[in-house]
Amino acid sequence: RDVRSSARPDDHPVVAVSWFEADAYCRWAGGRLPTESEWERAACGGKPQRYPWGDDPDQPFRMNDIAKFGHLDSVRTAAAADQASALASPAGALHMAGNVWEWTSDWYHRTGTSTDGVVDPTGPETGTWRVLRGGSYMNLPSYCTCTHREPAEPERQALTTGFRCAWSP
């Protein structure tokens, strides 16, 4: 499913899919949902910064979020996935902050993942909620950072929630 605008429909992120649907698609495509740590590395390239481009949220309007337009009524849809290549993270990924929340493979735990010497830490083995990262076009910049995380029921389907696939070498 996608949100369509004047851009080609296949340019927009897939949205309104549950964690189960996102996981199934990634597996069908030969990949998987990224772990939280993989998502964060793709967003900020391992750098200690707030946003994929640095620490300034308004430099220059790099997110598709409600703060960009000044009020909620002016933002109605996700931006095309290939729009504004200047939005790329250090790893080259587009729209890692704002646009749509993205599912990760990890179960949610309020303290995050354990990083005690682990190269690619993962979340708990089981849980109630899955983790969403990145914020959406309906959020303020404080939600659209490299480190903000939200719990969500895996059945959740919303126009503000999508996913990206990860592949292991």
Side-chain angles (χ1 to χ4, degrees):
R1 299 176 207 145
D2 64 354
V3 176
R4 297 169 190 244
S5 72
S6 59
R8 293 188 338 250
D10 58 342
D11 287 345
H12 282 75
V14 174
V15 297
V17 292
S18 71
W19 180 91
F20 300 105
E21 292 168 320
D23 179 61
Y25 177 85
C26 289
R27 284 186 290 115
W28 171 84
R32 57 185 170 71
L33 288 170
T35 64
E36 274 198 88
S37 59
E38 287 173 325
W39 188 96
E40 193 168 316
R41 176 104 177 139
C44 287
K47 299 177 183 177
Q49 57 193 34
R50 190 166 173 89
Y51 303 98
W53 53 86
D55 290 322
D56 183 1
D58 295 323
Q59 191 179 26
F61 294 120
R62 293 180 182 226
M63 278 186 279
N64 182 26
D65 69 334
I66 64 173
K68 177 177 180 179
F69 300 100
H71 53 86
L72 186 60
D73 293 338
S74 43
V75 180
R76 293 194 168 87
T77 187
D82 65 352
Q83 184 180 20
S85 62
L87 297 171
S89 74
L94 297 174
H95 296 290
M96 295 295 289
N99 216 31
V100 297
W101 285 103
E102 296 180 10
W103 289 113
T104 67
S105 62
D106 291 354
W107 288 102
Y108 179 82
H109 187 273
R110 61 182 164 70
T111 61
T113 59
S114 171
T115 58
D116 299 335
V118 179
V119 174
D120 184 16
T122 58
E125 301 256 337
T126 62
T128 303
W129 301 306
R130 292 292 185 164
V131 179
L132 291 171
R133 299 296 295 263
S136 82
Y137 61 90
M138 296 293 283
N139 293 121
L140 292 168
S142 60
Y143 287 86
C144 304
T145 67
C146 292
T147 57
H148 187 81
R149 48 200 299 276
E150 286 287 320
E153 293 178 345
E155 299 82 10
R156 170 191 165 131
Q157 294 177 314
L159 293 176
T160 56
T161 305
F163 67 98
R164 66 180 72 220
C165 295
W167 285 268
S168 298

